[in-house]
Amino acid sequence: MNKNYYKTLPKKRMASGALILNKKNELLIVKPNYKDHWSIPGGVVDENESPKNACIREVKEEIDLDIKNPIFLCVDWTSPTPEKGESLQFIFFGGILQQEQIKMIKLQPEEIDRYQFLPLEKALPLLSENLRCRILQCFKAMKNKTALYLENAK
């Protein structure tokens, strides 16, 4: 096989995020200062980094929490738009935080302005449309003890 063959293959953008809850089953959302909407802790998967390790790293960077062994919930292929190419969006379950852990949250001021825990019905309208749909699917996956493959959050 030609050594350069793999260099000719397309590359996809990937991101990874964590669905994190408190004991009241409220969703942790963060307000990135570079977006108009709220999000979940997470970000771009670096080159040669696994989506799971990216999730762990991004949670540490954005809210200064160590999550151990996040559980895969879904991957969502998003079709290309004029602004962005196609991507793979991974979501992992980062666990249920105890009050002591919540008190230890420290925001990364370069990226994150605020965080809050909200009941799902109050958190969803603050998220982008795709993330909102993805999160709903993830809650279904957790309830059914499964993982999902999505395309454009469906």
Side-chain angles (χ1 to χ4, degrees):
M1 180 176 291
N2 183 337
K3 290 182 193 178
N4 294 319
Y5 170 73
Y6 290 103
K7 292 179 183 177
T8 67
L9 296 177
K11 294 186 179 187
K12 288 189 185 351
R13 184 172 48 87
M14 294 189 292
S16 193
L19 192 155
I20 298 172
L21 304 172
N22 65 12
K23 289 175 85 173
K24 294 190 246 178
N25 212 35
E26 295 172 321
L27 179 64
L28 171 63
I29 58 173
V30 295
K31 179 59 182 82
N33 53 33
Y34 55 91
K35 291 182 180 177
D36 294 333
H37 51 271
W38 289 71
S39 191
I40 59 174
V44 173
V45 177
D46 290 338
E47 188 173 355
N48 300 317
E49 180 181 41
S50 77
K52 183 176 178 178
N53 285 338
C55 179
I56 293 167
R57 176 184 54 76
E58 286 286 344
V59 168
K60 180 66 174 173
E61 286 176 7
E62 291 187 352
I63 60 174
D64 200 29
L65 289 182
D66 294 308
I67 58 172
K68 309 285 187 221
N69 201 27
I71 299 166
F72 174 71
L73 292 175
C74 83
V75 62
D76 182 17
W77 174 82
T78 61
S79 57
T81 65
E83 312 85 54
K84 306 181 222 176
E86 65 182 337
S87 70
L88 294 171
Q89 304 286 321
F90 292 84
I91 295 184
F92 293 85
F93 179 58
I96 300 171
L97 298 182
Q98 303 300 315
Q99 195 56 40
E100 306 78 53
Q101 293 169 295
I102 294 170
K103 288 178 184 173
M104 301 195 55
I105 291 176
K106 284 189 224 140
L107 300 180
Q108 179 188 38
E110 299 82 25
E111 280 189 44
I112 307 297
D113 288 338
R114 298 183 2 218
Y115 80 92
Q116 60 183 328
F117 285 91
L118 289 174
L120 190 58
E121 65 275 4
K122 290 188 178 180
L124 289 175
L126 301 175
L127 307 174
S128 70
E129 183 181 348
N130 274 351
L131 183 56
R132 180 172 45 246
C133 295
R134 205 175 293 131
I135 294 290
L136 279 171
Q137 294 288 348
C138 285
F139 271 90
K140 288 179 190 173
M142 288 193 311
K143 182 180 177 188
N144 295 326
K145 295 183 168 85
T146 189
L148 298 173
Y149 169 79
L150 308 171
E151 290 190 5
N152 295 308
K154 293 178 177 80

